[in-house]
Amino acid sequence: MNIYESIYLIQMNDFYEMNNLIQYYRPMVTEIWADIFVRKTNTILCDRDEFYRHADLLLYHCIFEYRMDRVLTFTSFYRKCTKNKAYDILRQALRKQCYLNQVNISLDQKIKEDTNMYYNGIQMTDSLEIHDIVIDKLMWEHIKNRISKVFGKDYIQIINLRTEGYTYQYIAKELGLSYSKVNFMFEKVKKWYTTIDS
């Protein structure tokens, strides 16, 4: 896999490529999670799926912050950022546990203090909003592909125009169909959508 080609495509808003890159780095992210949250603590303070969400968001930020003139490869850059993020989550979880239990907990010396906002210069918040946007777009593209396979491309055109806010009347005129035909096709997809994977 050509990582740098994938980075370029993602910067050009190719959300399928984002999914490919997430899957490519999943083993590395899993290893970091296991090393920090499983091997070094008695209890898992951040479950794997939650850490994946943080790592995916961080990957998205890294893609737009990475510079080719840096000494680090992108993989090394992302690994270092992900480890810093993991230690930050661990530190916050331990502090919260300490506060709830009113017990002094000695933090692992490898945990960097003040790593919040320090992911190799990347400015980000704890919000997972971008992750949700990317995943939603990936899911929507996946669903549209399924609609295209089940019903055909005409249905995709109607869905796209409808989700952009156009009326049935406008869509019918634009596609050269009757109002009732557009309405029927859209309702057919809506009914199918509510029953898929059920």
Side-chain angles (χ1 to χ4, degrees), residues 48-64:
R48 189 174 60 181
D49 289 339
E50 181 187 350
F51 187 65
Y52 283 165
R53 286 168 60 83
H54 286 289
D56 295 348
L57 174 62
L58 186 58
L59 176 60
Y60 185 84
H61 282 283
C62 284
I63 286 166
F64 290 94

Side-chain angles (χ1 to χ4, degrees), residues 16 39 82 89 145 153 180:
Y16 282 113
R39 299 187 188 112
T82 306
I89 294 168
N145 280 339
K153 292 182 179 179
S180 58

Side-chain angles (χ1 to χ4, degrees), residues 105-137:
I105 296 176
S106 176
L107 301 181
D108 189 300
Q109 62 179 6
K110 289 185 179 180
I111 298 176
K112 292 186 178 182
E113 288 296 333
D114 303 319
T115 55
N116 192 31
M117 304 297 287
Y118 169 65
Y119 306 109
N120 289 303
I122 292 178
Q123 298 296 313
M124 60 180 289
T125 66
D126 287 334
S127 169
L128 298 179
E129 181 182 355
I130 294 174
H131 174 275
D132 292 337
I133 290 170
V134 171
I135 296 304
D136 285 347
K137 286 185 178 180

Side-chain angles (χ1 to χ4, degrees), residues 8-194:
Y8 172 77
L9 290 172
I10 293 162
Q11 289 172 342
M12 297 295 106
N13 296 320
D14 186 334
F15 293 105
Y16 282 113
E17 202 60 39
M18 181 69 192
N19 191 42
N20 291 335
L21 208 57
I22 286 171
Q23 294 308 314
Y24 177 81
Y25 282 116
R26 190 60 89 218
M28 183 186 83
V29 170
T30 305
E31 178 61 29
I32 291 169
W33 170 80
D35 184 49
I36 294 171
F37 293 103
V38 178
R39 299 187 188 112
K40 293 182 180 175
T41 57
N42 294 327
T43 57
I44 297 175
L45 299 172
C46 178
D47 66 46
R48 189 174 60 181
D49 289 339
E50 181 187 350
F51 187 65
Y52 283 165
R53 286 168 60 83
H54 286 289
D56 295 348
L57 174 62
L58 186 58
L59 176 60
Y60 185 84
H61 282 283
C62 284
I63 286 166
F64 290 94
E65 292 292 332
Y66 179 72
R67 297 290 177 267
M68 296 292 286
D69 57 354
R70 288 182 175 170
V71 177
L72 289 174
T73 64
F74 179 80
T75 298
S76 298
F77 175 67
Y78 179 50
R79 182 186 291 111
K80 189 172 183 181
C81 291
T82 306
K83 281 187 176 180
N84 284 345
K85 180 63 179 175
Y87 282 126
D88 197 33
I89 294 168
L90 180 59
R91 188 187 76 245
Q92 290 174 11
L94 288 172
R95 283 181 174 165
K96 184 177 179 182
Q97 193 178 70
C98 174
Y99 175 77
L100 292 175
N101 297 332
Q102 296 298 311
V103 176
N104 291 325
I105 296 176
S106 176
L107 301 181
D108 189 300
Q109 62 179 6
K110 289 185 179 180
I111 298 176
K112 292 186 178 182
E113 288 296 333
D114 303 319
T115 55
N116 192 31
M117 304 297 287
Y118 169 65
Y119 306 109
N120 289 303
I122 292 178
Q123 298 296 313
M124 60 180 289
T125 66
D126 287 334
S127 169
L128 298 179
E129 181 182 355
I130 294 174
H131 174 275
D132 292 337
I133 290 170
V134 171
I135 296 304
D136 285 347
K137 286 185 178 180
L138 286 170
M139 286 301 298
W140 179 232
E141 290 301 321
H142 173 69
I143 289 168
K144 284 204 293 188
N145 280 339
R146 289 180 66 179
I147 292 170
S148 181
K149 288 176 184 176
V150 173
F151 298 103
K153 292 182 179 179
D154 291 342
Y155 285 81
I156 295 296
Q157 286 182 292
I158 291 170
I159 299 279
N160 285 336
L161 289 169
R162 189 68 181 140
T163 54
E164 288 171 15
Y166 292 105
T167 63
Y168 290 140
Q169 190 173 1
Y170 174 88
I171 296 170
K173 186 178 178 182
E174 190 72 14
L175 300 180
L177 301 169
S178 67
Y179 175 93
S180 58
K181 177 71 173 176
V182 171
N183 183 44
F184 170 78
M185 291 170 77
F186 188 74
E187 291 300 320
K188 187 176 178 182
V189 173
K190 273 177 64 179
K191 185 176 179 181
W192 170 85
Y193 180 73
T194 59

